[in-house]
Amino acid sequence: TAIAAPYGPIFEAELARARRSAHSPKLRDCLATYYDYRRGKDQSVRKDALTCFHTVAARQPEVAQAWSGLAMLYVDDYAAMFGRGGEAELESARAAVAKALTLDRDDFLAHLALTRVQYFDGNPEFRRSIARAVELAKLESHLGLAPGSTVQGGRAALVAGDPGMGKTRLLTELADR
């Protein structure tokens, strides 16, 4: 199980491939770079992920995950500045989430970004959105999709008020590392 563990050898191989394709990235390259950023919060990797998602979104605007990846990065920027940078990042995140959900109502990252946008907006609907994100994370985790969705789904479950499921998902993720 360690070879297929999140951030294990398979992930590292995908990340190496993503780095080689920087001039003509595909969505999978952006996702690998995004999860690398989430792993270490390195700002140069964040910039690479942002550039990658922008490139794919410009070349293939119909790809929902390009927009949801952008939304997650915009929300990260807003959160890192505790809103002191103004509303530009949050407004960009709102627009990217709307575009992603218009393209794919079942995109996990879009729903995760939506919960974060709603939270920072002070919108109590974020709790319902978390429930949907958790539901999608369970499906994606069960199907073996979306690297990192187990841990993200676990965090979402904790925030949604389901500590049992959240703890189970997070402990499973840690055991696999």
Side-chain angles (χ1 to χ4, degrees):
T1 62
I3 195 165
Y7 308 118
I10 292 174
F11 175 80
E12 293 300 329
E14 277 295 305
L15 189 55
R17 197 190 81 68
R19 288 182 180 132
R20 286 191 305 271
S21 70
H23 298 294
S24 182
K26 295 182 177 10
L27 178 62
R28 69 189 263 185
D29 302 323
C30 301
L31 292 170
T33 305
Y34 169 76
Y35 285 111
D36 186 38
Y37 159 69
R38 296 295 297 181
R39 172 174 55 175
K41 298 289 187 162
D42 181 321
Q43 290 305 303
S44 67
V45 177
R46 183 200 67 76
K47 182 181 175 193
D48 292 344
L50 190 63
T51 300
C52 187
F53 282 124
H54 275 294
T55 301
V56 171
R59 194 176 58 234
Q60 296 175 289
E62 73 283 359
V63 176
Q65 281 191 317
W67 297 101
S68 57
L70 285 169
M72 290 292 287
L73 290 166
Y74 294 144
V75 174
D76 281 351
D77 288 347
Y78 180 83
M81 292 185 288
F82 300 102
R84 290 187 304 259
E87 293 289 311
E89 292 83 7
L90 203 52
E91 187 55 43
S92 294
R94 282 186 205 103
V97 164
K99 178 79 170 171
L101 289 174
T102 297
L103 294 168
D104 182 356
R105 297 294 306 161
D106 294 327
D107 180 38
F108 169 72
L109 273 183
H111 282 276
L112 191 59
L114 176 63
T115 64
R116 297 175 72 205
V117 167
Q118 289 173 328
Y119 175 81
F120 286 115
D121 279 340
N123 182 342
E125 285 296 308
F126 84 92
R127 288 182 177 86
R128 279 200 199 124
S129 297
I130 288 173
R132 178 68 177 137
V134 168
E135 180 183 313
L136 289 168
K138 285 183 200 176
L139 175 63
E140 288 187 353
S141 178
H142 174 72
L143 296 175
L145 303 173
S149 66
T150 300
V151 72
Q152 289 178 351
R155 289 180 186 145
L158 289 171
V159 173
D162 188 347
M165 185 179 72
K167 181 178 178 185
T168 299
R169 293 181 77 106
L170 290 172
L171 289 176
T172 300
E173 173 70 19
L174 293 173
D176 286 343
R177 286 188 179 188

